[in-house]
Amino acid sequence: ARVARACKNVVSLSEAKGVHAQLVGGGLDRELFAGNNLVSMYGKCGGLEHARWVFDNMPSRDVVSWNAMVSAYVRNGCEVEGLRIYRQMLLEGFIPDNITFVTVLNCCNSPAAIGVGKLIHACIVGRGLESDGGVGIAVVNMYTKCGSMEDAVRVFNGLCKSNVVLWNVIIAGYVRHGLIKEAFRVFNEAQLKGIVPDKVTLVTILNACSADTSCATLTEGRLIHARIVERGFEKDVIAGNAIVSMYGKCRSVMDACRVFSKMPVRNVISWTAMITVHLQHGHTKEALRLFWQMQLEGVMPNAITLASILIACPTPEALAEGRLIHAYIIQRGYELDLFVCNAIINMYGKC
């Protein structure tokens, strides 16, 4: 229990190495349970090479060991390696469990991976695990990310629909593919079936409003905003960001400003969203004011913020401001970021 607790509480790679050293010193690192926890811990801390070294040097492995290694690759964006480990697991005679399938399906998140995703789905059906709540949701999610809403809906329709997470996944799939009317239809159907929307549901359907900027959608957006307030989610930073973005894209700048000003916590996404709203409506001076104000409030711009704010310098008159931002970008070390670099070139071209 102490080993699991120590590994779970680690938040940095240096801490992870310290815990590992303690286990080695106590002679516990060769234990199966300790090895599994070390692989998982390193995966969470971004120490993929360390996770793989521990995994490769384990005297024995069980299905938990393989799950931990697949999860480490998925968590760090190495989906191809995750699939390779899964294949190796099968070749070595290990039987995947429901956690294996949920984890490895996350490796299939683009149209190019749909073939592999279907093979894994076939294995799941063969094992009789599709009706497992978490596995079924993962299959639906995989198909939406791989671009096959037809397959996603087919699996969705065959599952028990009492789980709000399942509804969230199918709604998000429709939004991802620009099928806004279908997203609203499923959102309404869920409520008719007694599903209570959670924060994720409401934020997801707000994104649908952002994708369709008609007056009718603005009305829907206001109703969903009211639901968020009613459920007590309005102080949540993720919900707040989605509301600001929705109002901005639906051309209601005043509403976006009002929500932004009342947010108790504003992160870099909040500020970038508000800056983007002003830029979308040609309010370049206000966008620049917010850019400098966010830093005064201790929030540092990221690459998206920097690339966005350069749009506020589109004329020769704004060249001085553009050069100032360019100098700031160099100071922050973002000049080699491709997204930011293209924005700088575009800014100078327009000036």
Side-chain angles (χ1 to χ4, degrees):
R2 283 206 305 267
V3 172
R5 192 161 49 248
C7 292
K8 186 178 180 180
N9 292 335
V10 165
V11 294
S12 69
L13 185 56
S14 60
E15 282 184 274
K17 289 178 179 178
V19 170
H20 190 179
Q22 287 177 14
L23 292 176
V24 171
L28 297 173
D29 60 309
R30 308 291 286 173
E31 298 288 336
L32 178 61
F33 180 73
N36 290 345
N37 277 279
L38 285 170
V39 172
S40 180
M41 174 188 69
Y42 276 127
K44 290 174 183 176
C45 296
L48 264 183
E49 290 182 6
H50 299 285
R52 187 58 191 262
W53 186 91
V54 172
F55 179 80
D56 287 341
N57 287 278
M58 290 175 70
S60 64
R61 303 187 193 112
D62 60 8
V63 69
V64 177
S65 318
W66 293 93
N67 291 349
M69 196 64 241
V70 174
S71 179
Y73 279 123
V74 171
R75 187 182 290 270
N76 290 278
C78 301
E79 290 84 2
V80 173
E81 288 301 318
L83 288 169
R84 283 179 183 156
I85 282 287
Y86 171 70
R87 182 173 179 272
Q88 186 182 338
M89 172 186 183
L90 298 180
L91 291 173
E92 293 194 18
F94 287 88
I95 306 298
D97 60 11
N98 55 349
I99 295 172
T100 315
F101 288 124
V102 169
T103 306
V104 78
L105 281 169
N106 285 319
C107 295
C108 307
N109 55 15
S110 69
I114 193 166
V116 177
K118 285 188 172 182
L119 287 174
I120 296 169
H121 183 197
C123 291
I124 289 167
V125 173
R127 292 284 311 283
L129 290 173
E130 189 179 56
S131 59
D132 177 277
V135 177
I137 290 167
V139 173
V140 174
N141 191 41
M142 178 273 292
Y143 279 125
T144 66
K145 289 184 175 179
C146 289
S148 181
M149 284 304 298
E150 184 180 345
D151 285 312
V153 171
R154 178 175 54 79
V155 176
F156 172 81
N157 286 336
L159 297 174
C160 173
K161 299 184 181 67
S162 61
N163 191 329
V164 68
V165 178
L166 177 62
W167 291 91
N168 291 346
V169 166
I170 200 73
I171 292 168
Y174 280 125
V175 174
R176 185 180 294 115
H177 294 286
L179 303 170
I180 307 307
K181 288 183 179 178
E182 285 300 303
F184 276 106
R185 180 188 64 75
V186 174
F187 174 68
N188 291 327
E189 181 187 340
Q191 294 169 86
L192 289 173
K193 291 184 180 293
I195 299 295
V196 178
D198 62 8
K199 184 183 75 176
V200 175
T201 321
L202 296 170
V203 167
T204 302
I205 204 67
L206 269 180
N207 291 334
C209 297
S210 298
D212 183 348
T213 58
S214 66
C215 290
T217 309
L218 176 58
T219 302
E220 290 276 7
R222 287 199 167 112
L223 289 172
I224 295 161
H225 181 187
R227 290 286 296 278
I228 287 172
V229 173
E230 178 189 313
R231 293 292 306 280
F233 297 140
E234 77 276 13
K235 293 182 180 179
D236 180 88
V237 68
I238 295 173
N241 293 345
I243 296 166
V244 169
S245 182
M246 179 274 294
Y247 279 130
K249 288 181 179 176
C250 289
R251 299 187 289 277
S252 183
V253 181
M254 290 289 287
D255 283 314
C257 290
R258 179 174 51 80
V259 172
F260 178 78
S261 67
K262 291 181 178 178
M263 289 176 69
V265 177
R266 296 184 291 206
N267 60 16
V268 64
I269 298 172
S270 318
W271 288 92
T272 304
M274 197 64 242
I275 287 168
T276 302
V277 168
H278 284 298
L279 290 173
Q280 286 169 341
H281 295 85
H283 306 160
T284 54
K285 288 184 179 179
E286 186 59 20
L288 286 165
R289 185 189 70 77
L290 286 175
F291 175 72
W292 298 115
Q293 184 184 337
M294 70 183 287
Q295 295 163 71
L296 292 175
E297 295 192 17
V299 181
M300 293 297 106
N302 60 18
I304 297 172
T305 320
L306 294 168
S308 299
I309 197 61
L310 285 167
I311 298 170
C313 308
T315 63
E317 292 76 18
L319 181 58
E321 190 87 49
R323 282 179 171 153
L324 189 61
I325 295 169
H326 185 187
Y328 176 81
I329 287 168
I330 294 171
Q331 178 189 335
R332 291 286 312 283
Y334 279 105
E335 74 274 14
L336 297 180
D337 183 284
L338 185 61
F339 192 47
V340 175
C341 186
N342 287 339
I344 294 169
I345 293 168
N346 188 48
M347 182 270 294
Y348 280 126
K350 288 182 177 179
C351 287

